[in-house]
Amino acid sequence: MDTFRHKGLRNRLVDDIAKKGIKDEAVLNAIGAVPRHLFFESSFIKFAYQDKAFPIGAGQTISQPYTVAFQTELLQIKTGDKVLEVGTGSGYQAAVLCEMGAKVFTIERQKELFAKSSHLLPRMGYKPRFFLGDGYKGLPQQAPFDKIIVTAGAPQIPEDLLTQLCIGGLMVIPVGSGNVQVMTRITRDSESEFSQEQFGQFVFVPLLKGVVK
Ligand code: SAH
């Protein structure tokens, strides 16, 4: 259930991440709208509106709200954008994208997380399309995408994802094989040309190959 108290806590979280530098009003509104506490077990609800990552089981985490906002801002989401998310995890990032009016396709390699998120989000009114699979390969049958967001640390940029981007499309991906990744935005300038920008260091769980049933 969502209440005025939760809404109040969310408003404070929005102020927090705005102070940390997030400016896109649509992103701030989405963080203010998605009931993040519903992604937590009831005994951990008090952590839901802190600007921190948190364990969600299966060795994975729900990303820090600031990181979600940062990646989403870099994606320059417009209503109707077709977006691929690699790393569904809790489903929170997918919910934020749906809240902004994107058409979301999200892929997760761990069955347990796929099952949980694909059950939870529709009950909250968010209806991305969920896929169980290896995000390194993307979703060739649903491509091309206006935007691609990778929410796990990639040792290198997956070739298959580049080919699934529209011309003029953007991909936001944390790149690095150590404990720290560099937030990277790739623009597909033409069929064969891509440009890259870098936006500082972040810490993500690693992008791994294969599917865990
Ligand atoms: N976006 C998530 C955060 C996810 S943490 C959220 O909002 O909660 C990263 C997720 O990426 C984990 O759930 C992990 O299992 C998943 N992952 C890692 N490698 C992957 C791959 N190759 N394909 C799909 N998902 C992957």
Side-chain angles (χ1 to χ4, degrees), residues 79-168:
T79 306
D81 272 353
K82 190 172 160 191
V83 182
L84 170 64
E85 178 193 27
V86 174
T88 313
S90 68
Y92 177 70
Q93 171 75 70
V96 168
L97 292 167
C98 289
E99 183 66 42
M100 295 177 76
K103 271 180 66 184
V104 181
F105 297 72
T106 184
I107 181 164
E108 171 58 52
R109 68 184 285 275
Q110 295 205 47
K111 193 173 185 187
E112 180 187 337
L113 297 172
F114 161 80
K116 227 173 160 178
S117 60
S118 58
H119 180 69
L120 177 66
L121 266 73
R123 292 195 322 184
M124 296 169 58
Y126 299 121
K127 299 203 164 88
R129 287 181 59 189
F130 294 93
F131 297 83
L132 176 65
D134 182 355
Y136 264 103
K137 302 192 179 94
L139 292 172
Q141 288 175 349
Q142 276 71 29
F145 299 97
D146 299 304
K147 312 282 164 71
I148 299 178
I149 175 172
V150 179
T151 67
Q156 67 275 316
I157 296 162
E159 282 289 326
D160 285 338
L161 296 185
L162 292 176
T163 66
Q164 292 173 31
L165 208 50
C166 292
I167 293 173

Side-chain angles (χ1 to χ4, degrees), residues 2-212:
D2 197 23
T3 65
F4 278 113
R5 191 176 70 84
H6 293 120
K7 180 74 186 155
L9 292 169
R10 271 204 298 285
N11 287 340
R12 263 199 264 164
L13 174 63
V14 168
D15 288 347
D16 261 17
I17 63 174
K19 281 201 195 87
K20 291 178 183 171
I22 303 300
K23 292 191 181 64
D24 185 332
E25 285 291 329
V27 173
L28 294 171
N29 288 339
I31 301 283
V34 177
R36 193 168 185 263
H37 62 281
L38 299 182
F39 294 83
F40 287 64
E41 307 287 337
S42 55
S43 43
F44 297 122
I45 275 185
K46 64 173 185 284
F47 299 100
Y49 294 110
Q50 297 178 2
D51 188 22
K52 289 188 180 137
F54 199 81
I56 54 170
Q60 304 305 316
T61 53
I62 180 170
S63 300
Q64 182 181 347
Y66 172 73
T67 305
V68 171
F70 193 89
Q71 284 197 280
T72 310
E73 184 168 71
L74 288 179
L75 278 178
Q76 302 174 352
I77 295 296
K78 291 190 276 308
T79 306
D81 272 353
K82 190 172 160 191
V83 182
L84 170 64
E85 178 193 27
V86 174
T88 313
S90 68
Y92 177 70
Q93 171 75 70
V96 168
L97 292 167
C98 289
E99 183 66 42
M100 295 177 76
K103 271 180 66 184
V104 181
F105 297 72
T106 184
I107 181 164
E108 171 58 52
R109 68 184 285 275
Q110 295 205 47
K111 193 173 185 187
E112 180 187 337
L113 297 172
F114 161 80
K116 227 173 160 178
S117 60
S118 58
H119 180 69
L120 177 66
L121 266 73
R123 292 195 322 184
M124 296 169 58
Y126 299 121
K127 299 203 164 88
R129 287 181 59 189
F130 294 93
F131 297 83
L132 176 65
D134 182 355
Y136 264 103
K137 302 192 179 94
L139 292 172
Q141 288 175 349
Q142 276 71 29
F145 299 97
D146 299 304
K147 312 282 164 71
I148 299 178
I149 175 172
V150 179
T151 67
Q156 67 275 316
I157 296 162
E159 282 289 326
D160 285 338
L161 296 185
L162 292 176
T163 66
Q164 292 173 31
L165 208 50
C166 292
I167 293 173
L170 301 175
M171 171 155 79
V172 174
I173 177 168
V175 183
S177 46
N179 291 327
V180 165
Q181 291 82 35
V182 176
M183 193 62 77
T184 305
R185 180 168 63 190
I186 294 154
T187 306
R188 184 167 197 176
D189 298 311
S190 71
E191 188 62 34
S192 59
E193 292 163 302
F194 296 85
S195 49
Q196 266 196 44
E197 304 159 275
Q198 297 186 329
F199 296 91
Q201 295 192 330
F202 289 80
V203 177
F204 282 83
V205 297
L207 189 66
L208 300 170
K209 294 204 164 138
V211 174
V212 186

